[in-house]
Amino acid sequence: MNWGQNAFQYHDNQLHCEDAPLAAIAETVGTPVYVYSQAALLERAAAFVTAVPPNTLVCYATKANGNPMLLRLLAEAGLGGDVTSGGELFLALHAGILPDKIIYSGVGKTQAEIEMALDARIRALHVESEMELGTIAAIAESRRQIARIGVRVNPNIDAQTHPYISTGLHGHKFGVNPERAMAMMQQAANHPWLEPVGIAAHIGSQITKLSPYAETAQFLIGMADELAGMGIALDYLDMGGGLGIDYNEPQLTKNIQQSTPSIGDWVTAVSEPIAKAGYNLVLEPGRSIVGPVGALITRVVYTKEQGGKQFIIADTGMNDLLRPSLYQAHHPIWPVNKASVVRHPSSVVDIVGPICETSDTLAKERPFPPTEPGDLLAILQAGAYGFAMASNYNGRLRPAEVLVNSDQFHIIRQRQTYQHLLDGAA
Ligand code: LLP
């Protein structure tokens, strides 16, 4: 079974994750609940591992979904980790990701976080400013420990994605421009306690075209060749992550029109030029591994008509899944029980949450079959940046997370209780 693309499917009008009925999971665990397919996760991880050339390191971007069980499965599948805070480094190590497979990116690493990375002896810290390089150098020197570093370059390449998740243009806070990156690499090469090992670029997220990557690859190769001319030989070029997934209604239509490149196509596009130029590759995919693997299951609390509009009010909202509110992102939403869809025409509705914000909308003006309080809905493509961006806003509890393996399911994170709202409080 090819779960990697289609982990959520109807059998007899009942939506399943693999072979487990979502209604049974909701009944047992309650709602809202994030449900993940183990088979889909492993298939997608394997798609990376088998497609990359030898000596490539695939560092899963843990920010996309840091659930400890999912991280452990990805570690066992051979993936490394791209971390962006002390907390993510802690989670990556806890999951058993080998330190040599961990890279640390981010514009604001504190001294304590740098010390933590050096303690763990991770593969490299990816530096994003001269000031940060100075801090790492001072810490490395005082510890008398070599710090392996890469410099994150801002290539000024337009990723052609949502402005909030585009990161590779000069006006963005990420990385440094190429001239400064070259100077920083030289400075590192001349420093007794720094070892420059790579250069990195991450131009953005939810990218659906390959051309910005071709441009980025040429850009990094050009820089690496120049560095080689200066006597600085690199271990790797890091092309970042950013491969988009299909947030349209992928499985309802029979003739699936793939609007995003496949994992294999992306890996080929990013790895071929780099391998040809004789460099090793690092990748940092997040969304493309976990996005399609997860759905957020919610129960309808009420329906309501107002101002000529129909609202479906769900028991989940922007506190659990921020993407629609923050980026006007479209997530497919399907009824868990499809029986009514077959018999009744759809009407146009807004599917909203219980949060006291007008932007707390999961779907706007969406054709949807008749729905009643108590019905279950599945918000698809929610495995990436779903739970990871969840909050306790409005005093709401973070949802449970469940992992499905065939027809079995296990809670891999308990729903919070009201006691959690008092955590750490005086
Ligand atoms: N590497 C770096 C340095 C990153 O900053 C990111 C994501 C990744 C890798 C992974 O990118 P991916 O393969 O997942 O696109 N919250 C937003 C996405 C923010 C992405 C931040 N950086 C969303 O929900 O769309």
Side-chain angles (χ1 to χ4, degrees):
M1 192 67 211
N2 170 18
W3 294 122
Q5 289 292 347
N6 293 309
F8 295 87
Q9 290 188 11
Y10 287 102
H11 307 304
D12 298 329
N13 283 338
Q14 295 296 320
L15 192 58
H16 286 59
C17 175
E18 298 187 26
D19 291 320
L22 291 173
I25 295 174
E27 207 52 55
T28 312
V29 182
T31 55
V33 54
Y34 276 99
V35 177
Y36 308 112
S37 156
Q38 177 169 323
L41 181 78
L42 296 181
E43 242 180 70
R44 299 185 75 83
F48 274 100
V49 172
T50 52
V52 293
N55 300 321
T56 299
L57 182 57
V58 181
C59 292
Y60 166 64
T62 58
K63 64 173 77 70
N65 188 324
N67 181 284
M69 178 62 83
L70 302 191
L71 290 181
R72 186 163 295 279
L73 289 169
L74 293 173
E76 283 167 10
L79 268 54
D82 161 47
V83 301
T84 199
S85 66
E88 285 188 357
L89 176 55
F90 166 81
L91 287 172
L93 294 168
H94 175 268
I97 298 180
L98 296 176
D100 191 42
K101 292 184 170 183
I102 297 176
I103 53 168
Y104 187 162
S105 328
V107 294
K109 302 174 201 80
T110 63
Q111 294 214 7
E113 288 174 320
I114 293 165
E115 297 262 6
M116 188 178 168
L118 292 176
D119 282 344
R121 300 184 180 275
I122 65 167
R123 178 68 167 259
L125 286 149
H126 285 178
V127 184
E128 305 213 21
S129 65
E130 288 84 356
M131 227 185 245
E132 186 193 349
L133 186 65
T135 303
I136 296 173
I139 294 172
E141 186 157 8
S142 71
R143 294 167 62 107
R144 309 193 73 72
Q145 179 186 346
I146 301 274
R148 284 179 296 275
I149 62 114
V151 172
R152 176 162 174 190
V153 192
N154 183 323
N156 200 29
I157 291 172
D158 184 0
Q160 299 167 43
T161 181
H162 192 289
Y164 284 16
I165 49 176
S166 180
T167 50
L169 289 171
H170 278 170
H172 296 147
K173 69 176 173 180
F174 300 101
V176 292
N177 73 31
E179 296 73 41
R180 288 166 63 186
M182 296 299 282
M184 285 163 69
M185 290 296 279
Q186 198 158 29
Q187 201 186 328
N190 292 334
H191 193 284
W193 298 102
L194 294 178
E195 184 188 354
V197 293
I199 44 175
H202 169 78
I203 55 172
S205 199
Q206 186 52 24
I207 299 170
T208 54
K209 296 199 173 75
L210 294 176
S211 51
Y213 285 107
E215 224 182 306
T216 305
Q218 290 315 323
F219 186 90
L220 289 184
I221 291 166
M223 282 187 68
D225 287 349
E226 215 177 303
L227 286 166
M230 291 157 52
I232 301 173
L234 298 181
D235 286 352
Y236 61 82
L237 308 188
D238 180 341
M239 288 284 289
L243 172 62
I245 61 170
D246 196 343
Y247 285 104
N248 299 315
E249 309 285 337
Q251 299 143 7
L252 279 184
T253 42
K254 279 284 165 267
N255 50 344
I256 297 172
Q257 284 250 324
Q258 191 77 22
S259 70
T260 54
S262 68
I263 290 173
D265 288 349
W266 186 65
V267 168
T268 305
V270 292
S271 64
E272 266 186 355
I274 288 185
K276 208 183 277 172
Y279 295 105
N280 292 333
L281 174 68
V282 172
L283 294 175
E284 307 171 3
R287 185 193 318 265
S288 53
I289 295 183
V290 287
V293 160
L296 173 59
I297 314 307
T298 179
R299 205 178 275 282
V300 174
V301 188
Y302 299 114
T303 59
K304 170 169 173 175
E305 275 190 45
Q306 174 143 292
K309 292 181 78 163
Q310 284 192 49
F311 293 95
I312 294 175
I313 302 166
D315 69 358
T316 191
M318 65 192 288
N319 57 303
D320 295 326
L321 182 66
L322 188 57
R323 305 194 70 262
S325 302
L326 192 56
Y327 316 114
Q328 294 78 49
H330 178 106
H331 283 258
I333 302 182
W334 294 358
V336 167
N337 177 355
K338 200 170 63 166
S340 64
V341 184
V342 183
R343 288 195 303 274
H344 300 284
S346 294
S347 47
V348 172
V349 300
D350 278 10
I351 303 176
V352 301
I355 299 293
C356 302
E357 300 264 356
T358 302
S359 65
D360 180 29
T361 300
L362 297 160
K364 251 186 151 47
E365 294 171 9
R366 184 88 55 100
F368 211 74
T371 299
E372 291 176 1
D375 286 355
L376 291 168
L377 310 179
I379 307 172
L380 300 180
Q381 306 289 75
Y385 308 108
F387 189 95
M389 293 169 80
S391 77
N392 288 121
Y393 188 37
N394 274 202
R396 304 199 72 86
L397 304 177
R398 290 208 186 131
E401 293 179 288
V402 160
L403 184 65
V404 169
N405 182 5
S406 184
D407 60 356
Q408 305 289 306
F409 62 89
H410 302 281
I411 295 175
I412 54 170
R413 192 191 308 265
Q414 296 285 350
R415 183 182 313 287
Q416 285 185 325
T417 65
Y418 289 140
Q419 278 304 313
H420 285 110
L421 299 180
L422 303 176
D423 275 356

